[in-house]
Amino acid sequence: MANSKLKKTFLTPLGKDNPVFVQVLGICSTLAVTNKLENTVVMTLGVMFTTMLSSFTLSLIRKHIPARIRMMVETMIIATFVIIVDIVLKAYLPDIWKQLGPYVGLIITNCIIMGRAEAFALNNKPGLSLIDGLASGMGYAYVLLIIAFIRELLGTGSIWGIQVLGDWWTNWTIMIMPPGAFFMLAIFIWVVRESFMKEKKED
Amino acid sequence: MDSSMYPIAVFFAAIFTNNILLTNYLGMCSFLSVSRELKTSVGLGIAVTFVMASTTVLNWMVYTYILLPFELTYLRYIVFIIVIAAFVQLVEMIIERTSEGLYAALGIFLPLITVNCAILGVSLFMVIREYTLITSFFYGLGSGLGWFLAILAMAGIRVKLARAKVPPGLEGAGITLVIAGIMALAFMGFSGMITIS
Amino acid sequence: MKKDGFYFLRVYPLVFMLIVTLICISIVTGLHLSTKSRVDANENLFLRTTVLQAADVAVPEDFREVNTLFESIVSEEDSFYKVSRADGSISFVVPTEGAGLWGLIKLMVGFDEELEELTGIGIFAQNETPGLGARIEEEWYRTQFSGKQGPFVLVDEGAGDSPDEIDAITGATRTSRAMLSILNDVFVSGPAVVRGE
């Protein structure tokens, strides 16, 4: 029983309740850095870390939070974890930190983190909230990683900065420019909804 | 470049060539959910523009006069989001007590704004780019108007779209993203226009 | 405890928020202070790398070697750096900055011994558009300046041959023009700085 709940908590955000293509949430802060796979990996790890630990922390103190200042407390705790990510990146990965610029800070306003805190962490035990946060973060991460992979490959002919396509390849510059991300995400949502979500609707 | 013209250049660049929504994808969440109706889009657009211009100036002051002198710049995320939340709360209270009509029109949008990434984003960009107070104000105002313009255009298109036949998998968010992509392409056409030499 | 008492409604939320804030800020401050020396070392290393790039000296991969190399061949003067290159020649590196499209571009510009031509540039800070203007940091862009003589003119990307031609970046007109104006300025002011005028 407990085990199946755990499994369900973990699997739902990865599949049929994926925050990106079902709810289209939280893409703001990360979409901008998906023109390079390396930056996207760092950014999504940051989001996973923050979602996981803020859900856990909020769940720990959920019985003591006064209802009126709930949002303030949530924001405060999320911001703290984001600053931790920011400081660690600045100290250990300064090159990537420079490239990400303000986008690390914008994890604070990522709707997924606040959304999981409100919808799950405030009503569930810390352990389960941790799993839920991790799974939501992962569900979000893999969608953006796929987008980043395709954008970098088509846009620059390389993956992780290493040239993989030969001279015959003409770079689709539009892919690394802003419109590319919109089109990629739209196509991705379309493909997923057409092929995997259809049966569910007919149920 | 004439330095007195620089704020104006940033103002127009923020609206057209580097629209905060179409090139930085900030404020997408509320953009996708609210752009269904023209009337609500206008309300939210006005509120965002107002809050963005004001909080950019407030955050600039807090950053320059408090965070920088005391070497607390690493706390800026927390401080900025608190300033924004507090400002929105304050405006909501003032509007509620002074103007019933305005509150009815804008009141419901104000809480949505605190979690709008574009507002925090503008403050963070301003700090990284080391803008002066004047430039920051014009940047905030321009970004707000740019966001307003994008959501207004999108709402207008979506009204027409209601009668169009969209493939089922692309309905809702999908088609909105496609339109946003086309809009971003169109806005890229502005990129040569703003030149000051 | 009464759920609707004065304590529960007014005092408790305030105390709670205060405690949460204090804990959060002390964690963040602790982390900030414990990594501060590392962050400063990174900044310094980055500065040194750009000086070496401007002098057209090959930059080692390992950061310890960068520091050793820098200390052995670079001497810091009042407002410029003097770099002794492997072939026995000397390069003078002058820091400069100017307005880009979005904010300040800070860079190091290297001159040859006679102060007549450039040896290279190193970009220290920039906030240009990622994928467009931000490409000024890419190797092909910064290495094109070796042997160039001002006053410069802009030509299409990849077309710069003669000593006064600089490649522009496709799609980043404003950034290319900003770089042009910064480099034209420094080509006059840089030698004066080195000569001590």
Side-chain angles (χ1 to χ4, degrees):
Chain A
M1 167 64 193
N3 201 1
S4 78
K5 193 176 181 196
L6 196 74
K7 209 168 147 192
K8 203 176 148 223
T9 308
F10 186 72
L11 289 178
T12 318
L14 290 176
K16 71 173 167 57
D17 228 355
N18 186 291
V20 178
F21 49 69
V22 179
Q23 304 155 338
V24 201
L25 275 186
I27 46 176
C28 342
S29 54
T30 312
L31 205 57
V33 299
T34 52
N35 54 9
K36 258 179 109 181
L37 192 57
E38 198 183 358
N39 294 351
T40 315
V41 170
V42 174
M43 209 38 204
T44 47
L45 283 177
V47 174
M48 271 160 67
F49 173 84
T50 316
T51 324
M52 196 168 89
L53 290 182
S54 55
S55 278
F56 177 74
T57 316
L58 282 166
S59 174
L60 269 185
I61 57 170
R62 70 184 187 280
K63 286 182 185 138
H64 307 285
I65 303 176
R68 298 178 61 193
I69 57 162
R70 196 184 72 236
M71 296 285 260
M72 286 289 274
V73 175
E74 284 167 10
T75 313
M76 185 59 112
I77 284 170
I78 293 168
T80 305
F81 285 112
V82 172
I83 297 181
I84 292 175
V85 171
D86 187 61
I87 292 177
V88 169
L89 283 182
K90 196 175 177 181
Y92 294 94
L93 294 168
D95 290 345
I96 293 180
W97 180 77
K98 268 205 161 88
Q99 287 181 29
L100 293 180
Y103 292 106
V104 180
L106 288 172
I107 297 177
I108 298 175
T109 47
N110 188 317
C111 326
I112 291 181
I113 304 181
M114 187 71 106
R116 287 335 285 174
E118 282 274 299
F120 199 93
L122 290 179
N123 310 313
N124 284 284
K125 289 203 182 87
L128 214 56
S129 300
L130 185 88
I131 299 292
D132 176 72
L134 175 70
S136 299
M138 279 167 68
Y140 171 76
Y142 82 82
V143 175
L144 287 162
L145 286 175
I146 293 171
I147 290 175
F149 178 84
I150 300 174
R151 282 185 78 191
E152 192 179 341
L153 183 70
L154 297 182
T156 62
S158 56
I159 291 165
W160 204 270
I162 300 161
Q163 202 70 30
V164 288
L165 297 174
D167 290 335
W168 53 271
W169 176 255
T170 310
N171 291 341
W172 299 12
T173 312
I174 197 73
M175 287 311 285
I176 53 170
M177 302 221 277
F182 285 116
F183 292 136
M184 269 310 305
L185 189 62
I187 294 169
F188 195 86
I189 291 177
W190 190 11
V191 169
V192 170
R193 285 195 181 166
E194 279 292 324
S195 46
F196 302 111
M197 303 278 163
K198 243 187 179 161
E199 308 103 66
K200 215 187 66 193
K201 257 187 195 162
E202 286 156 11
D203 280 351
Chain B
M1 187 184 297
D2 186 355
S3 62
S4 66
M5 286 299 285
Y6 188 65
I8 307 295
V10 167
F11 174 72
F12 283 108
I15 299 180
F16 296 111
T17 58
N18 281 63
N19 187 294
I20 190 119
L21 184 93
L22 297 173
T23 60
N24 295 323
Y25 317 104
L26 297 181
M28 281 298 289
C29 300
S30 29
F31 178 73
L32 288 174
S33 54
V34 175
S35 64
R36 253 177 226 119
E37 271 179 64
L38 209 54
K39 211 177 146 202
T40 42
S41 301
V42 173
L44 188 65
I46 294 172
V48 164
T49 311
F50 173 67
V51 173
M52 213 181 256
S54 322
T55 55
T56 317
V57 170
L58 281 177
N59 279 337
W60 188 90
M61 288 175 175
V62 170
Y63 187 79
T64 316
Y65 297 122
I66 300 172
L67 296 185
L68 267 184
F70 294 101
E71 291 189 18
L72 293 172
T73 51
Y74 63 94
L75 286 179
R76 64 180 181 277
Y77 300 153
I78 289 190
V79 174
F80 284 0
I81 197 92
I82 290 175
V83 167
I84 292 169
F87 179 78
V88 170
Q89 198 89 58
L90 201 72
V91 171
E92 200 181 346
M93 270 156 57
I94 292 173
I95 292 183
E96 196 180 358
R97 271 165 218 187
T98 52
S99 160
E100 236 168 71
L102 204 61
Y103 185 75
L106 294 184
I108 45 161
F109 300 113
L110 287 167
L112 264 178
I113 283 180
T114 316
V115 288
N116 186 324
C117 1
I119 312 262
L120 181 64
V122 165
S123 287
L124 293 176
F125 272 120
M126 152 200 97
V127 164
I128 286 189
R129 291 168 182 167
E130 300 178 34
Y131 283 156
T132 59
L133 180 59
I134 305 287
T135 315
S136 299
F137 170 72
F138 278 104
Y139 178 59
L141 187 65
S143 298
L145 287 173
W147 198 88
F148 188 9
L149 183 67
I151 197 168
L152 197 63
M154 177 60 81
I157 295 171
R158 282 182 83 166
V159 169
K160 298 269 175 206
L161 207 66
R163 288 186 209 140
K165 219 177 156 212
V166 179
L170 213 51
E171 267 170 11
I175 193 72
T176 312
L177 286 167
V178 173
I179 296 170
I182 297 170
M183 273 165 63
L185 267 179
F187 271 62
M188 274 170 64
F190 288 118
S191 60
M193 279 173 63
I194 296 152
T195 46
I196 293 171
S197 52
Chain C
M1 184 167 57
K2 272 206 317 234
K3 285 264 170 185
D4 52 355
F6 174 77
Y7 169 79
F8 193 80
L9 281 180
R10 304 266 176 232
V11 183
Y12 178 64
L14 215 63
V15 173
F16 188 87
M17 196 64 215
L18 212 65
I19 293 172
V20 170
T21 313
L22 273 180
I23 294 174
C24 289
I25 289 189
S26 40
I27 292 172
V28 169
T29 308
L31 195 68
H32 171 76
L33 292 177
S34 64
T35 56
K36 198 168 185 304
S37 61
R38 220 191 138 91
V39 170
D40 291 345
N42 283 337
E43 271 304 285
N44 196 23
L45 181 71
F46 194 71
L47 183 86
R48 291 177 164 197
T49 310
T50 55
V51 171
L52 292 178
Q53 283 171 348
D56 201 14
V57 172
V59 181
E61 290 265 321
D62 190 343
F63 70 93
R64 272 159 299 203
E65 286 173 40
V66 173
N67 282 330
T68 334
L69 182 71
F70 186 90
E71 275 150 25
S72 67
I73 65 168
V74 180
S75 65
E76 285 181 51
E77 310 289 335
D78 270 349
S79 49
F80 63 93
Y81 302 87
K82 193 174 158 188
V83 186
S84 318
R85 298 202 283 178
D87 61 358
S89 63
I90 285 174
S91 171
F92 297 100
V93 177
V94 184
T96 187
E97 59 182 43
L101 170 61
W102 285 116
L104 278 183
I105 301 176
K106 298 181 187 174
L107 66 164
M108 298 284 174
V109 179
F111 292 88
D112 72 334
E113 220 166 332
E114 286 78 36
L115 297 169
E116 277 169 359
E117 52 185 50
L118 298 185
T119 54
I121 63 164
I123 305 286
F124 182 64
Q126 56 91 6
N127 301 294
E128 302 310 295
T129 322
L132 294 171
R135 291 174 68 209
I136 54 172
E137 275 193 11
E138 289 178 5
E139 201 178 342
W140 70 270
Y141 186 82
R142 48 179 182 76
T143 50
Q144 65 167 319
F145 292 99
S146 178
K148 295 275 171 175
Q149 281 175 312
F152 305 104
V153 290
L154 278 182
V155 294
D156 285 349
E157 186 172 326
D161 285 326
S162 67
D164 64 335
E165 290 176 344
I166 316 180
D167 279 11
I169 294 169
T170 310
T173 320
R174 286 272 316 264
T175 306
S176 304
R177 284 199 196 152
M179 285 299 290
L180 179 74
S181 112
I182 295 170
L183 288 167
N184 274 332
D185 286 348
V186 79
F187 197 76
V188 178
S189 64
V193 169
V194 177
R195 289 194 203 101
E197 284 163 15

